[in-house]
Amino acid sequence: QSVLTQPPSVSAAPGQKVTISCSGSSSNIGDNYVSWYQQLPGAVPKLLIYENNDRPSGIPDRFSGSKSGTSATLDIAGLQTGDEADYYCGTWDSSLSAVVFGGGTKLTVL
Amino acid sequence: QVQLVQSGPEVKKPGASVKVSCKASGYSFTRYGISWVRQAPGQGLEWMGWIAVYNGHTDYAQKFQGRVTMTMDTSTDTVYMELRDLRSDDTAVYYCARLRPYYYHMDVWGEGTMAAVSS
């Protein structure tokens, strides 16, 4: 069981917007920055969002993140077939002194 | 460019140990930490621990405490992860990733090292 809770899968049509949720607690999301990672099929994970809502250079602004209380969300607008991937949220857990991940969400672009 | 290059694939028998290396280049090695994340076939990401390269401090996930050791060699900008007493469910791809201290995001990832445990 993952410390952070994500939906196992989401889907939407090309051009649409999708939201992926990540739920935690006061010792992790509530107390620390959230990051998001994209893992394309067969590829290495890639940092998508850091410090809740910042994007590394090269990440399009179609990807955005937010945090409220003990939950975080990743929004992907203008969906493309190339966005089909697994998405993971992650943060530090102050009680565990460990990085914790969500179980991952598989995005299907119909 | 900033990169992390990992050692090659491993095949081990149950009860053995595996030691994976991760060589950093293209940035100031001691300004960041190195984290280890593994991914079993068809499964999600699992954080194993990290080493703060600037002072050698380590944090290990509770699941791996007593079985994992992370070390570093600042003369070669290399970090090592050793996992002992291997079991079949340790079969996974092991990634190292550059970790920003205090913010705990991982912005550069190695290519991964496949470690298979089989009798």
Side-chain angles (χ1 to χ4, degrees), chain B residues 12-16 38 63-64 67 83-92 94 115-118:
Chain B
K12 298 291 183 181
K13 293 201 181 300
R38 77 176 187 180
K63 175 178 179 177
F64 300 102
R67 242 184 7 121
L83 187 63
R84 299 177 292 279
D85 191 20
L86 291 169
R87 307 183 280 258
S88 58
D89 62 0
D90 290 317
T91 293
Y94 290 78
V117 182
S118 173

Side-chain angles (χ1 to χ4, degrees), chain A residues 33 37 39 44 51 88 92 98, chain B residues 39 44 47 103-104 106 110:
Chain A
Y33 289 109
Y37 303 87
Q39 187 175 33
V44 175
E51 293 174 32
Y88 297 89
W92 181 255
Chain B
Q39 187 170 37
W47 188 77
Y103 298 89
Y104 298 103
M106 289 161 274

Side-chain angles (χ1 to χ4, degrees), chain A residues 44-78:
Chain A
V44 175
K46 179 172 77 172
L47 178 66
L48 208 57
I49 298 288
Y50 65 99
E51 293 174 32
N52 303 331
N53 53 20
D54 283 335
R55 287 183 306 277
S57 61
I59 301 298
D61 60 6
R62 300 187 297 108
F63 296 90
S64 62
S66 63
K67 185 183 107 167
S68 178
T70 59
S71 293
T73 59
L74 172 68
D75 289 324
I76 309 173

Side-chain angles (χ1 to χ4, degrees), chain B residues 30-71:
Chain B
T30 55
R31 289 189 61 188
Y32 293 82
I34 293 289
S35 185
W36 290 88
V37 177
R38 77 176 187 180
Q39 187 170 37
Q43 302 302 307
L45 303 178
E46 182 174 34
W47 188 77
M48 300 180 68
W50 80 293
I51 183 166
V53 175
Y54 48 90
N55 65 5
H57 170 80
T58 54
D59 285 308
Y60 301 137
Q62 190 170 11
K63 175 178 179 177
F64 300 102
Q65 284 182 6
R67 242 184 7 121
V68 71
T69 302
M70 296 175 189
T71 56

